[in-house]
Structure formats: structure tokens, C-alpha cells
Amino acid sequence: AQSVTQPDIHITVSEGASLELRCNYSYGATPYLFWYVQSPGQGLQLLLKYFSGDTLVQGIKGFEAEFKRSQSSFNLRKPSVHWSDAAEYFCAGGAGGTSYGKLTFGQGTILTVHP
Amino acid sequence: DTGVSQDPRHKITKRGQNVTFRCDPISEHNRLYWYRQTLGQGPEFLTYFQNEAQLEKSRLLSDRFSAERPKGSFSTLEIQRTEQGDSAMYLCASSLGRGAANEKLFFGSGTQLSVL
């Protein structure tokens, strides 16, 4: 069965520090992968997406993610965190075919940013 | 682009009552998705439409759930005989539906359902 796992439920970083959120996937074939961010009372906002090609993907708000097939990972990174980045982050995967918008989400990682 | 709109934002109901949620997708978006999110979990896929056709339903969608998208515009999700386990955030998303490479889901803010 297809699955996406985020090992860290909660991460705390200091403002200005670097950030890495982990995501592992289990799919029969190479999935296409997403990172979304959700702030309280807000809808999910797409940060970036990997479909094929360059394994280092740049997204909005200074985020990037690297697809590593050998490790079945798609970790999200940011070199310097801002207080406004505090939110919940979800990794998601989708398969090909016609159901390409049917995503499997991880459990989410809550990011707290200390001043 | 006014975004995906969901109504109501919050719904409190008593067990056994029927509820209906509405989703207005971004105009010209062919695909519309329903997801459900419970506390501490990521969203789970429920169903999706390509225009007015409902193409797939998750096993999570019991017989008490029904979704429609008349004329391929807005969509409604109805839950009959609600149960406490139905309490969740119901999320709607839409997309252009032009293939996986270009697929980008835009989510609404959701309808929070509480069943007492």
C-alpha cells in the first residue's frame, strides 16, 4: 500500500536557524511528491512539488526539498527560519494514472519557532 | 482567482441529523476533491470529480455519505445520520486537471464538523 511517513510530530527551532523536516514514502513506482503548509484557520498551501527531473526542488517562501530515491525520502529544508514559518507541514504523495490528484498525506509535523 | 470557498466554516449537529456542506471551486477548474482531516492527522482522500462525473470514492466514504457536482460547478457533500466519528474537518480542493505533471491542488479552508 502507498504510504507517506513524517517521523517527527513536533519540531522546535530558533528563529534564524536552519530547518529540515523529514518525509519518507513507500510507493510501488516513483511517486510525485508535495509539501504543503497549513496555518490555523487556513487552507493547505502548496510549498513545492517534485514530479520528475532535477531532484532538488525549489519552492515558495525560501523552501527547498530534495528527492532521494535510494532513501525513499523527500525532506524539506530552509536555511534560515522566520517566526512566520510556524505552522504545520504535510508531505504528500500521488501516483500516476488518472487519479493523479488523489494524494496520500503524512501525519504532519508541527513547527514551533522560538524568537 | 478568488480561491476555493467552503460553506459553512463550522457546523455543530446532533448525532443522527443530516448535514450538507458546499464547496465552490476556482472557476475553470475541472477537478474537485473532497478530503477529511481529523485532529493530529493528515488529510485523507474521500472522493473526486472530473467536471460533473464522480470518478472515484474512497472506502472511507460509507453509504451515509454522498457527494454531487451538478453541472460541473460547485459541489455538495452530504452526511446522513451523522455519528460522532464523523467529527472532522472536511476539505475541498480543486485543480485544472491537466495531467499529473501540471496538477496543483488548491485547498479551501474547510468545514469543521462537530457531532454531539
Side-chain angles (χ1 to χ4, degrees), chain A residues 1 9 26 35 40 46 68 85-87 89-90 96-97 99 109-110:
Chain A
I9 296 173
S26 175
W35 275 99
L46 180 65
K68 292 186 177 180
D85 293 324
Y89 291 79
F90 291 95
S99 301
T109 298
I110 298 171

Side-chain angles (χ1 to χ4, degrees), chain A residues 78-92:
Chain A
K78 187 171 185 178
S80 178
V81 170
H82 188 263
W83 64 267
S84 61
D85 293 324
E88 189 162 17
Y89 291 79
F90 291 95
C91 182

Side-chain angles (χ1 to χ4, degrees), chain B residues 19-82:
Chain B
V19 295
T20 300
F21 311 139
R22 177 180 171 122
C23 171
D24 287 274
I26 295 171
S27 60
E28 300 180 355
H29 275 195
N30 296 323
R31 287 207 169 189
L32 187 147
Y33 301 82
W34 286 99
Y35 283 79
R36 181 172 68 186
Q37 185 177 19
T38 53
L39 197 62
Q41 299 296 319
E44 296 174 297
F45 169 81
L46 293 179
T47 187
Y48 85 94
F49 293 83
Q50 175 83 30
N51 298 313
E52 67 275 8
Q54 188 174 17
L55 297 186
E56 188 170 345
K57 295 192 294 185
S58 164
R59 285 175 291 180
L60 294 174
L61 217 60
S62 75
D63 292 344
R64 297 183 297 105
F65 288 71
S66 62
E68 295 182 341
R69 193 184 182 197
K71 301 179 183 178
S73 55
F74 71 93
S75 176
T76 58
L77 179 67
E78 181 183 16
I79 309 174
Q80 296 182 328
R81 305 180 303 281
T82 53

Side-chain angles (χ1 to χ4, degrees), chain A residues 17-77:
Chain A
S18 63
L19 172 70
E20 182 169 25
L21 301 182
R22 296 185 291 164
C23 173
N24 295 101
Y25 67 88
S26 175
Y27 275 75
T30 299
Y32 54 103
L33 297 160
F34 305 81
W35 275 99
Y36 282 87
V37 61
Q38 186 176 40
S39 299
Q42 303 294 317
L44 290 154
Q45 181 182 21
L46 180 65
L47 290 175
L48 48 79
K49 170 185 175 179
Y50 171 78
F51 179 71
S52 66
D54 194 346
T55 57
L56 186 61
V57 181
Q58 300 298 321
I60 63 171
K61 303 185 178 185
F63 286 94
E64 67 177 26
E66 186 171 11
F67 172 70
K68 292 186 177 180
R69 186 191 305 274
S70 61
Q71 298 177 17
S72 297
S73 69
F74 187 58
N75 294 348
L76 182 71
R77 301 193 294 248

Side-chain angles (χ1 to χ4, degrees), chain B residues 87-100:
Chain B
S87 296
M89 176 76 81
Y90 289 84
L91 297 169
C92 176
S94 69
S95 72
L96 288 168
R98 293 180 182 174

